[in-house]
Amino acid sequence: MEENGSWSNVIKAIHWTPRACMPVPKKNGFPGTWAGGDCKNGFHQLQYQPESFHPRCCWEWKRIRFWVDTWLGTVPLKCRFPGLFAIIRHKGSKVADCFNRNGDLLVWDWSWIRTPTSNSERIEIQECHSLLRSIRITDMEDSWFWSADTNGLFSVRSVRRLLKSQSMVNYLSPYEWNNWVPIKVNVFGWKAQLQRIVTKTALLRRNVHTGCTVCPFCLDIDETINHLLIYCLKTDMVWQHIASWCKLPPFFAFSINDVLSYHSSLAQDKRRTKLVQAIFRVTLWCIWRARNDMIFNGVNASHTQIVENIKIQSYIWVVSRSKKNVIDWNSW
Ligand SMILES: [Zn+2]
């Protein structure tokens, strides 16, 4: 964003005040995109430091705010020296207002509400002075650069690239379609991955009250997607049986994504991994069907009955959909 560009002017007109103490200006009462939190926290949640907006070089210091902007080190000086910031008179003062030149020497001088007297304040002053020793003044123009892009210019594309490069937005691996199971089973797995299954707690979040929100299997824990499909005692027994039936080691998952991507960790041939993927999808589907049967039809299937159902369903679907899987029921 250009400093004097249209967007910059719009943001300044809406959010900037002479007393603004945020690196990115934001008016708290403004009901806009940033309402209810500040963008800096948003960046932190994304594990990204907005301090990537660094000044490129050291200029006339007329536009950089000494305490508020990040220009020396990786955090604003107000965060590094909170004791001093509390007693500084002009919190938005520019760097150029904080020193006098004595030949090549810079003499730092701040306007205080009261003289720093406590031990901690003196220590902060000393540290601040030693930090400032590295500063050299040139006559170049002030400028900012966006360190996430080599050209220094901010762009939505560079933010997207930056976020993509950090693992926090890659928590969902692409959903793989498996054509050995019906579309409804694939779609169910996909919706589970997106946490879009209508469990009781999901309904409650949308203000749909269904009475009790506990899991119908164990009647103990709230029915969330992860609990119902992975953690519940009954579900866990189903998974262990399925793992042992597929000749896999004991199966432990922490999320639906673990279930959906488990096949890719197997060092086995393509057909076998696809088969495991299909069976795991059918397992999710059958657990959900058993849950619905229990709630709507009062049928309380045991974990062995659910496992049997998974074996039958997966056999019917896989054999009928895969031309090469000519296998009889006894070998299944
Ligand atoms: Zn449960």
Side-chain angles (χ1 to χ4, degrees):
M1 197 188 304
E2 288 173 34
E3 180 161 356
N4 292 314
S6 305
W7 265 117
S8 179
N9 288 336
V10 168
I11 290 172
K12 276 184 203 159
I14 296 171
H15 290 288
W16 190 83
T17 70
R19 295 191 308 166
C21 291
M22 293 298 297
V24 182
K26 181 188 82 82
K27 213 174 261 179
N28 288 334
F30 193 83
T33 309
W34 308 112
D38 69 52
C39 50
K40 192 178 176 194
N41 283 340
F43 273 118
H44 276 303
Q45 278 172 14
L46 293 171
Q47 301 169 9
Y48 177 67
Q49 307 267 337
E51 286 74 31
S52 286
F53 244 144
H54 285 312
R56 188 197 294 273
C57 27
C58 309
W59 329 243
E60 299 175 288
W61 312 98
K62 287 175 187 164
R63 284 182 250 169
I64 308 271
R65 289 169 297 176
F66 185 93
W67 298 100
V68 177
D69 293 328
T70 306
W71 62 281
L72 192 57
T74 55
V75 291
L77 294 181
K78 69 168 186 166
C79 302
R80 190 152 180 181
F81 306 113
L84 298 183
F85 186 67
I87 56 169
I88 203 79
R89 189 179 300 280
H90 305 297
K91 301 200 188 300
S93 52
K94 306 290 190 295
V95 176
D97 302 331
C98 298
F99 67 81
N100 299 309
R101 284 191 189 212
N102 185 0
D104 278 349
L105 213 64
L106 299 181
V107 182
W108 295 94
D109 186 24
W110 298 280
S111 171
W112 305 106
I113 294 169
R114 61 165 176 79
T115 315
T117 47
S118 72
N119 260 352
S120 62
E121 288 165 356
R122 281 184 195 151
I123 292 169
E124 283 192 6
I125 282 233
Q126 277 173 11
E127 285 178 5
C128 189
H129 275 295
S130 64
L131 198 65
L132 290 166
R133 262 182 223 128
S134 61
I135 298 303
R136 279 182 302 156
I137 298 294
T138 73
D139 291 327
M140 292 169 71
E141 274 286 303
D142 287 3
S143 67
W144 292 89
F145 83 106
W146 172 249
S147 63
D149 204 330
T150 45
N151 65 13
L153 297 176
F154 177 87
S155 66
V156 174
R157 190 181 174 189
S158 69
V159 175
R160 191 161 178 267
R161 202 167 47 224
L162 176 82
L163 296 178
K164 251 186 133 179
S165 71
Q166 305 195 13
S167 58
M168 67 277 170
V169 284
N170 287 336
Y171 55 92
L172 286 184
S173 50
Y175 187 77
E176 284 176 42
W177 216 250
N178 187 311
N179 60 6
W180 288 357
V181 294
I183 291 173
K184 62 182 178 185
V185 177
N186 273 308
V187 169
F188 180 78
W190 176 54
K191 284 167 80 176
Q193 185 190 40
L194 296 173
Q195 302 281 307
R196 292 290 187 273
I197 304 295
V198 277
T199 57
K200 291 177 186 175
T201 49
L203 287 171
L204 189 64
R205 271 204 309 279
R206 288 160 181 78
N207 275 331
V208 180
H209 297 268
T210 57
C212 181
T213 58
V214 294
C215 161
F217 291 150
C218 62
L219 299 175
D220 187 25
I221 314 275
D222 269 353
E223 189 198 60
T224 61
I225 296 172
N226 282 351
H227 173 79
L228 184 77
L229 298 176
I230 305 174
Y231 304 143
C232 185
L233 199 62
K234 185 184 257 186
T235 314
D236 184 52
M237 288 193 286
V238 171
W239 282 113
Q240 297 319 324
H241 272 76
I242 291 297
S244 130
W245 174 56
C246 294
K247 299 187 174 57
L248 299 171
F251 176 74
F252 299 102
F254 297 97
S255 68
I256 296 291
N257 218 30
D258 290 349
V259 174
L260 294 172
S261 60
Y262 182 79
H263 63 283
S264 57
S265 65
L266 300 174
Q268 292 172 355
D269 67 76
K270 249 183 170 181
R271 281 186 67 241
R272 164 103 175 128
T273 53
K274 187 170 176 181
L275 187 60
V276 170
Q277 184 191 43
I279 290 170
F280 275 32
R281 299 260 163 106
V282 176
T283 304
L284 289 174
W285 170 257
C286 287
I287 292 171
W288 179 248
R289 288 297 302 268
R291 173 262 191 201
N292 288 344
D293 255 2
M294 190 159 190
I295 292 178
F296 300 114
N297 304 325
V299 179
N300 186 2
S302 67
H303 73 273
T304 46
Q305 284 169 319
I306 298 175
V307 170
E308 281 311 305
N309 194 26
I310 292 165
K311 288 179 183 175
I312 295 167
Q313 282 293 354
S314 53
Y315 176 77
I316 293 169
W317 282 330
V318 171
V319 167
S320 61
R321 282 159 188 275
S322 160
K323 290 164 194 154
K324 289 179 184 171
N325 277 314
V326 186
I327 186 169
D328 64 48
W329 171 246
N330 293 328
S331 322
W332 179 247

